Amino acid sequence: MYKISELAAAVGLSRTAILYYEKQKLISASRLENGYRAYSNKDLQRLRLIQQLLAGGLTLKECKVCLEAKVDRQLLQNRLKALDEEIEQKQQSRYLLAAILGEGDLKAWHMSLDKLAPDAHLDWLTKQGFSEKEALRLKWLSKDMNEHDVYMADFMTVFEPLERWGPGSESDTQKALSLVAKAPDNILEIGCGKGLATKVLAEHSKANITAVDNEQSALDRLVQRFEQLGFSNRLKTVCASMAELPFTDESFDLIWAEGSAYIMGVEKALAQWLPLLHQQGYLVISDLVWKTDNPSQKSVEFWSQNYPDIQPVATRISQMKHAGYRVVEHFPQSKQAWLDYYGPLGERAKELESEMANSTALRDIKYEVNICTQLTAEFGYQLFVLQKI
């Protein structure tokens, strides 16, 4: 026989727990002549069995059912299913925490969070110590907080000597500019890069141009280009985030953004840039779109990771109208514009294969070149000429 304190010590429970189990009629004490409770070896073993059932995930109520009748298999199957779900959730939690600590891949998590809460995602990255420029790059390029510095160093090694940092051509830029009915006086170019489109805007207009990019080395190259052309007096460069432009409302009669709005999200760009335009001002924007209603699985998988917001042209037009613009005209970027970017990029990647054999950035770039040259019939850039209503 066991006194309550002895039984509690034997099974590792508190006196209060023993009394609760007795109240639930899971065990039953006898009374000694002095009125003290006494428990049998049967009670001890019953408590140990209950502890095992509890360790299996059953509730105390379910334990009682199992003890007093034949095992309810459906009850156990339900509990097993719930336990499997809890384990899977905890495994995912562990995977995320390990990845944040540098012990795993964060890419899938970044992609998921950016889809669900893009603004909160960007804000969180900046709170982790990344500058906004670094956070934007991490969001769209490496997607790995722990390897980001190495990835970006490799990325810039590939791109630094290239003139084009995205698909485009002088003829496409000139064609889009010709569709702007009123000759602009003040142009804001967002995401200007090294200024290939900026050069066309300067040569085919008399406007003053404010060129914005978050990469100072690209702006430096643009300044050199304009000095050589004799256009320096019409150029102002600003190193800033496109999401936080330092300009007052109605400052420009034309905003130009080739291949850059995706960084902050096209719908967000449409909304935030609208106030910067004069009444009846124009926005020329290009964006990657589906050319087909039935893209291949390979294309879908690639862009779901690299640009989840890729849309058909009709969807973008609807968004543009909803944002307060009239669609003046739109047209697909030329095939040559695509080749003028991916041709040199592919050659540059080949040059670096031996010295950057283990580079994740180079591997990603090579895969993109492969996808974008093989499946170009399924997707491409579309230029949109819009007017503020």
Side-chain angles (χ1 to χ4, degrees):
M1 302 296 287
Y2 298 88
K3 295 178 182 179
I4 189 169
S5 58
E6 294 171 336
L7 181 63
V11 294
L13 294 173
S14 67
R15 183 178 183 278
T16 302
I18 299 293
L19 292 173
Y20 180 75
Y21 282 14
E22 184 178 344
K23 184 178 179 181
Q24 297 300 314
K25 299 183 179 180
L26 291 165
I27 56 175
S28 178
S30 59
R31 293 281 182 172
L32 301 176
E33 289 182 1
N34 58 10
Y36 289 172
R37 286 179 168 82
Y39 299 91
S40 67
N41 189 56
K42 179 181 176 181
D43 292 317
L44 171 66
Q45 294 190 35
R46 193 174 173 88
L47 283 174
R48 286 176 173 166
L49 175 56
I50 290 170
Q51 287 177 314
Q52 290 297 311
L53 293 172
L54 289 171
L58 297 183
T59 65
L60 200 58
K61 183 178 179 181
E62 291 167 343
C63 288
K64 187 176 181 181
V65 172
C66 288
L67 290 171
E68 296 177 354
K70 185 176 180 180
V71 169
D72 184 341
R73 291 187 62 82
Q74 187 60 52
L75 183 151
L76 295 184
Q77 287 174 348
N78 291 341
R79 177 55 59 191
L80 182 61
K81 181 182 178 182
L83 190 59
D84 285 340
E85 291 173 352
E86 290 175 19
I87 290 172
E88 183 179 359
Q89 183 177 11
K90 289 186 183 300
Q91 287 281 20
Q92 292 174 349
S93 299
R94 188 196 182 285
Y95 178 81
L96 172 59
L97 293 176
I100 291 175
L101 291 170
E103 300 173 12
D105 183 9
L106 268 177
K107 184 174 287 190
W109 181 74
H110 277 299
M111 288 164 51
S112 174
L113 183 57
D114 193 60
K115 200 169 185 178
L116 293 171
D119 293 342
H121 180 207
L122 184 60
D123 182 61
W124 183 78
L125 288 173
T126 59
K127 283 183 170 62
Q128 305 318 302
F130 295 99
S131 68
E132 185 176 53
K133 179 169 71 174
E134 291 169 335
L136 286 169
R137 284 174 164 177
L138 192 153
K139 171 180 165 179
W140 285 110
L141 296 174
S142 68
K143 298 185 174 70
D144 189 332
M145 290 169 23
N146 304 292
E147 298 295 330
H148 182 64
D149 290 345
V150 173
Y151 190 101
M152 287 314 307
D154 288 352
F155 184 86
M156 291 307 295
T157 296
V158 177
F159 274 86
E160 186 62 40
L162 299 177
E163 279 294 280
R164 289 198 176 276
W165 287 8
S169 73
E170 291 192 7
S171 59
D172 286 339
T173 300
Q174 188 175 346
K175 178 179 178 180
L177 182 60
S178 71
L179 294 170
V180 175
K182 183 180 177 182
D185 294 318
N186 291 289
I187 299 175
L188 171 64
E189 186 183 7
I190 300 172
C192 62
K194 293 185 176 181
L196 295 179
T198 324
K199 171 179 173 290
V200 177
L201 296 176
E203 290 175 337
H204 295 273
S205 78
K206 297 180 180 180
N208 292 313
I209 302 173
T210 300
V212 175
D213 202 279
N214 63 5
E215 180 58 54
Q216 186 60 52
S217 65
L219 293 175
D220 293 342
R221 178 68 183 93
L222 171 57
V223 169
Q224 292 175 0
R225 188 187 304 278
F226 268 53
E227 286 175 349
Q228 293 168 357
L229 295 171
F231 293 150
S232 297
N233 62 321
R234 292 166 51 200
L235 177 70
K236 176 183 178 183
T237 60
V238 178
C239 189
S241 164
M242 65 177 65
E244 296 182 0
L245 295 170
F247 308 114
T248 57
D249 289 354
E250 299 190 13
S251 296
F252 305 96
D253 41 24
L254 173 60
I255 294 177
W256 201 274
E258 285 193 48
S260 60
Y262 79 93
I263 294 173
M264 63 181 290
V266 171
E267 288 185 278
K268 185 176 179 179
L270 291 169
Q272 289 196 8
W273 298 347
L274 184 70
L276 299 179
L277 287 171
H278 294 155
Q279 292 302 315
Q280 307 300 310
Y282 288 83
L283 167 63
V284 174
I285 188 172
S286 68
D287 187 44
L288 190 72
V289 297
W290 290 118
K291 293 181 179 179
T292 174
D293 294 331
N294 298 295
S296 65
Q297 187 62 30
K298 198 171 184 179
S299 289
V300 171
E301 288 176 357
F302 178 76
W303 290 117
S304 68
Q305 294 184 34
N306 292 279
Y307 187 26
D309 192 37
I310 183 173
Q311 300 290 346
V313 171
T315 300
R316 282 291 182 237
I317 288 176
S318 177
Q319 292 170 348
M320 290 163 177
K321 290 179 179 178
H322 181 73
Y325 298 88
R326 178 175 71 88
V327 180
V328 177
E329 185 62 87
H330 62 92
F331 62 91
Q333 191 179 64
S334 64
K335 183 178 180 179
Q336 190 59 48
W338 196 254
L339 295 176
D340 285 349
Y341 172 63
Y342 282 109
L345 181 57
E347 290 300 318
R348 176 64 177 163
K350 287 180 182 178
E351 290 174 8
L352 297 170
E353 280 182 344
S354 58
E355 64 182 272
M356 296 175 63
N358 298 318
S359 169
T360 302
L362 184 63
R363 182 200 64 201
D364 289 349
I365 290 168
K366 287 168 62 179
Y367 187 68
E368 179 183 347
V369 171
N370 183 47
I371 289 286
C372 292
T373 50
Q374 285 185 3
L375 303 175
T376 183
E378 298 184 11
F379 50 80
Y381 275 93
Q382 190 84 0
L383 283 94
F384 300 89
V385 180
L386 313 175
Q387 186 176 30
K388 180 178 179 178
I389 298 175

